[in-house]
């Protein structure tokens, strides 16, 4: 069955990780886990300073070439009555996060959601964000959603 | 940095969940979490009886159309020094699991890995498995891998 609308909203605001699928140069899908925050209905993920390959990342090159991506939020649990997932079709864009004050609320949302950015720089050089415009949402939950339960 | 080879092998044998990305009918990626077991170097995922949409699933239709898929195993942790992921490029195939005794070890591997199949039927009708031949493996770990640590 589907998750209730408020259960979807809550997870989009608070769930710490999503899996991003982009299309690679040969047209096959590629995946990577990402952190993200929601601001004004849009999801944002920074290219942060967690250790990564040098140079422009595959996810950035892929999004520049093909903006159609998938985002998956889900919970695995050995108790299979507690499984759920939320699948987003999204249009992705690479955004320079230089000196645009319009992005300040996005940066604040990311820092508020992830206290880890007190230690890990939020950006590399150049500062980049992936912006995800949500085009459609599908969800599934194994059993009745407990509104107090996020796991 | 990369995970050590034994850390990859161990996770492919024991990690309970992967995220599968296929290509949808319009060519955009689609994702879903799956359970799987490894047998003889190949990953197998049953179309089991956890509650699902009726009829043939999107993942099955997608794989029949386009066998190039991505599988992601990863661990999210609020302690970002404990993050890791394993990304597999794979060739997927839909396999009828009817009466082929060659699939008995696969079924045993799935039942051994997931005691949940004592309660949840392993198959629906018709009995189908997704078979994933691993074409390439990439991995990333945030810091030195503790061989005793799977999380």
């Amino acid at each position: 069955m589907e998750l209730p609308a408020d259960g979807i909203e809550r997870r989009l605001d608070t769930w710490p990780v999503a899996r991003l699928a982009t299309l690679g140069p040969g047209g096959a899908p590629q995946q990577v886990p990402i952190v993200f925050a929601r601001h004004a209905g849009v999801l944002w993920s920074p290219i942060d300073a967690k250790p990564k390959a040098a140079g422009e990342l595959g996810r950035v090159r892929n999004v520049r070439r093909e903006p159609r991506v998938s985002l998956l939020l889900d919970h695995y649990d050995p108790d299979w009555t507690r499984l759920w997932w939320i699948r987003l079709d999204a249009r992705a864009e690479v955004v320079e996060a230089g000196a645009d004050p319009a992005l300040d609320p996005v940066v604040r949302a990311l820092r508020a959601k992830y206290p880890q950015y007190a230690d890990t720089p939020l950006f590399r050089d150049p500062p980049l964000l992936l912006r995800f415009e949500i085009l459609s949402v599908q969800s599934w939950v194994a059993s009745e959603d407990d509104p107090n339960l996020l796991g």
Side-chain angles (χ1 to χ4, degrees), chain A:
Chain A
M1 71 199 86
E2 300 257 320
L3 278 167
D6 64 335
I8 292 175
E9 296 299 315
R10 196 160 25 94
R11 286 168 173 84
L12 290 177
D13 280 331
T14 62
W15 197 247
V17 62
R19 279 75 186 188
L20 168 67
T22 58
L23 292 183
Q30 293 182 352
Q31 290 171 287
V32 68
I34 61 167
V35 297
F36 68 96
R38 186 157 73 148
H39 173 69
V42 169
L43 303 188
W44 297 83
S45 183
I47 307 299
D48 64 27
K50 291 198 288 295
K52 288 184 181 66
E56 190 160 84
L57 293 181
R59 75 192 81 168
V60 173
R61 288 195 304 272
N62 289 353
V63 161
R64 288 194 200 279
R65 190 190 316 109
E66 169 57 72
R68 292 180 301 166
V69 304
S70 165
L71 290 164
L72 180 71
L73 283 65
D74 73 291
H75 172 62
Y76 182 78
D77 198 295
D79 175 355
W80 285 358
T81 68
R82 300 188 59 199
L83 302 177
W84 59 264
W85 54 250
I86 298 169
R87 186 153 73 186
L88 309 173
D89 294 321
R91 176 162 296 272
E93 185 185 353
V94 182
V95 175
E96 284 265 0
D100 183 352
L103 293 174
D104 289 351
V106 172
V107 168
R108 278 199 297 275
L110 286 163
R111 291 193 183 280
K113 186 174 179 187
Y114 299 102
Q116 295 91 335
Y117 285 126
D119 301 313
T120 300
L122 182 62
F123 291 121
R124 307 200 301 174
D125 185 26
L128 297 179
L129 289 160
L130 296 179
R131 177 187 193 277
F132 300 106
E133 180 191 350
I134 299 172
L135 303 179
S136 70
V137 180
Q138 282 184 282
S139 72
W140 173 83
V141 62
S143 56
E144 284 296 325
D145 191 32
D146 173 348
N148 297 313
L149 194 72
L150 258 183

